Structures are given as structure tokens and as C-alpha cells.
Amino acid sequence: MKLSVFGAAAVLAAASSQVLAQSTCNQWAPCSREGYCDSNAMFCLWGLCDPVKSFNSTSCWQPEACATQTVNFDSAADAIPIKAYSGNPSTNAFLSVFEPNHASVANGNLEMKMTYDAAQKKGFGATATASHTFQYGRVTARVKTASVAPGVVSAFIIRNDQTGDEIDFEWVGKDPSEVQTNYYFNNVLDYTKMVRYNVGGNTAAEYHDYTMDWSAEALVWLVDGKVIRTLNRKDTFNPATNTYAYPTSKSRISFSIWDGGNSGAEGTQQWAGFPTPWGPNTAYQMFVDSVQISCGGDSTHPPTSPSVSPPVTLPSSVYPTSVYPTSLPSSSVTPPKKCIPRPHY
């Protein structure tokens, strides 16, 4: 069996690192994501890769530094399928993380599409995540949503999947003139902190600028340059746990479109509108015209989130249960190398 120089070096590096006790992967497919293993960016990218279950302590790729930039989506390289990503964030600003790939650059936009998946009996959407990480700063996206029918959910989020810290804008199809803001800390899914705002127009027919300004002391949401919500860190203190329930984790900026109306979860369906209407040729689209990112530097407070936390859901019957269109890629694509069989949907 022959190994390339790169492959041999990778094996030696893996061998020289500590093999993790909870690892379910081997040196040929070292990166774990949702319990499955492979060696490409879909599994190894920081934030997607599970550092606890990967082969060793160096299997998951290191987080990329934040980059102040404006992405105008005037090049196909601005958003590519994650399996084509070589690991250089300066080359590709956004990565489409699911297969089949429903996110691409067209007509000067990041176009994200959702079509019907007959096997799942619901829409299969898209998530595009930034190749650079982000921890404090200001990000503005010029967005035209997919809120043309009940059940269709569009999202613009800053999230760390490992800690569950998140800041977001979300739009639901049943309310096309409205945007919702929320934040989560340490995987506590407290939907009661969601705040609605009437944009004053149809978010699916018009582009609007949506901004999240995140510092160590405050979170500010803006629409078309107008402040619509402010959260001060000092106001999130919980004396029972002696912590600030305020997102602090290094994260990624992402956009997604998904089917909330046919999700099968009653609370999610009531929140998004249901059922999501589908016909033989139905497709829903979300458009991102540009993204402006200004990095804000490191925190003046140590992160209060643990590295990995189990999810905790507060009681609610009218709010969503997921912000993602699906989990791992479908079995219609070529299976990667694995230590455990790939799931079949």
C-alpha cells in the first residue's frame, strides 16, 4: 500500500498525538461529526468536528481567525460545497455544508434553495457557513428571504455548535413582513427570549440590511441601520448559577433555509406555519446579496460556556426545535471512508 508524502505525514502526526478515549474514528478517517467519521472538511472543519469523538487531539482542524471583509458574491469561489474546500479561508468565504448542495453563487447573490425530499416527506434546504470564525464584531447581511409560503424558515445566525451559543435573525413564511431575533447560551433553548420586529415591507420581495453587533458587553440587532433590540451582558446574570447567560463562544456566521412546516414537531409547525405547500416543481429560495464582516477582537471576559454541554430545552409549545435543514448528507452521494457505516435516509 502506497502513501503520499502528505498522507504519510498525516499518519505520523496522528500517531504522535494522544488517541482519545471516546474516539470512534481511526487514522484514515480521523474526524467525527454526529457519530460518523471521515477526513474531509465536511467532518474536520472546526465547529462541525467533534473533538471528543475524533481519533486524536489534533484530528479536528484548528479554528480560522476572523477576517474583516466584504463578500459580494460576484465569484463562484465565494461559496462552494464543503467537500471541495481545501482549508484556505481566504479563497472561499462560505461553505455549503450539506449534500445535495443547494447553495451557490448566481446573479451576484448567494442563492439558497429548498426542494421537496419525497423520502423525508419535507423540504431539503441548505446551510452555508463562513470559512472564517467570528468572536465579537459586527456583521451585516443584505437579505431577501424565502418567506413566500407558510412553513418556510430563513435564518442568519452566529453559532457555536459545540457550546450551543447562538445569536440570530429568523424569518418564518407565515409572517413575511416580520423578522425575529433571539440568542441562546450554553445549549439552553429558551424560546421565550425571542423578539419580533415588523420590517415595514415584504422581506421576500425586498432586500433589507440585517446587522448583529456583538461585543463582550452587549448585543445589538439592527434592521436597515436602525437599532431594534439591545441586550446588555450585565442583564443576563443568573445568581442561582453565578453565570452570565450571554453568548461568548468563538462561532461561525451562517445562513440557512429549512422546512419548519413539515418538520413533524408541533411547536415548530405552529411557529413557522403549516403545512408547507409542495408541488411537483416547487422550490423556495433565499438570497444574500452581500455580507460585511468587521472583526471585534477577543473577549475581556473568559467564556462562561463549557466546551460541550447537553441540550436543555425550556417548556414551550409554540416555538421551533431546530435551526437546521437536515443532519448529515443523504445516501445519494458517494459515501466517505468511515469507521462506522454512514446513515441511510
Side-chain angles (χ1 to χ4, degrees), residues 179-196:
V179 65
Q180 302 175 7
T181 62
N182 209 343
Y183 71 97
Y184 305 103
F185 165 76
N186 196 21
N187 247 352
V188 177
L189 305 180
D190 186 353
Y191 305 125
T192 65
K193 295 177 181 177
M194 184 266 284
V195 174
R196 305 172 187 269

Side-chain angles (χ1 to χ4, degrees), residues 152-330:
V152 182
V153 182
S154 310
F156 166 29
I157 68 176
I158 300 168
R159 180 174 171 83
N160 182 311
D161 282 342
Q162 299 298 323
T163 67
D165 281 6
E166 177 177 325
I167 310 158
D168 66 40
F169 281 107
E170 287 190 300
W171 302 264
V172 295
K174 71 175 185 178
D175 297 311
S177 64
E178 183 179 275
V179 65
Q180 302 175 7
T181 62
N182 209 343
Y183 71 97
Y184 305 103
F185 165 76
N186 196 21
N187 247 352
V188 177
L189 305 180
D190 186 353
Y191 305 125
T192 65
K193 295 177 181 177
M194 184 266 284
V195 174
R196 305 172 187 269
Y197 176 76
N198 191 305
V199 175
N202 187 335
T203 64
E206 308 158 351
Y207 286 94
H208 292 275
D209 292 330
Y210 300 91
T211 302
M212 289 178 277
D213 195 331
W214 178 31
S215 73
E217 302 298 339
L219 267 170
V220 182
W221 290 260
L222 304 91
V223 175
D224 294 330
K226 178 183 177 180
V227 174
I228 65 166
R229 183 180 184 182
T230 299
L231 172 73
N232 293 307
R233 176 181 178 270
K234 64 181 181 181
D235 297 329
T236 68
F237 184 71
N238 183 343
T241 59
N242 196 35
T243 59
Y244 290 90
Y246 184 81
T248 59
S249 304
K250 187 185 298 290
S251 301
R252 290 191 189 275
I253 299 163
S254 299
F255 300 93
S256 65
I257 177 174
W258 56 283
D259 187 349
N262 291 355
S263 64
E266 182 180 356
T268 303
Q269 293 180 164
Q270 292 179 12
W271 167 74
F274 69 97
T276 307
W278 290 103
N281 301 309
T282 302
Y284 298 105
Q285 286 185 290
M286 173 186 180
F287 302 90
V288 184
D289 178 70
S290 63
V291 183
Q292 295 178 320
I293 301 169
S294 178
C295 304
D298 294 331
S299 169
T300 56
H301 302 285
T304 49
S305 305
S307 58
V308 179
S309 301
V312 179
T313 305
L314 299 186
S316 175
S317 61
V318 293
Y319 294 107
T321 56
S322 173
V323 296
Y324 300 105
T326 184
S327 54
L328 288 178
S330 70

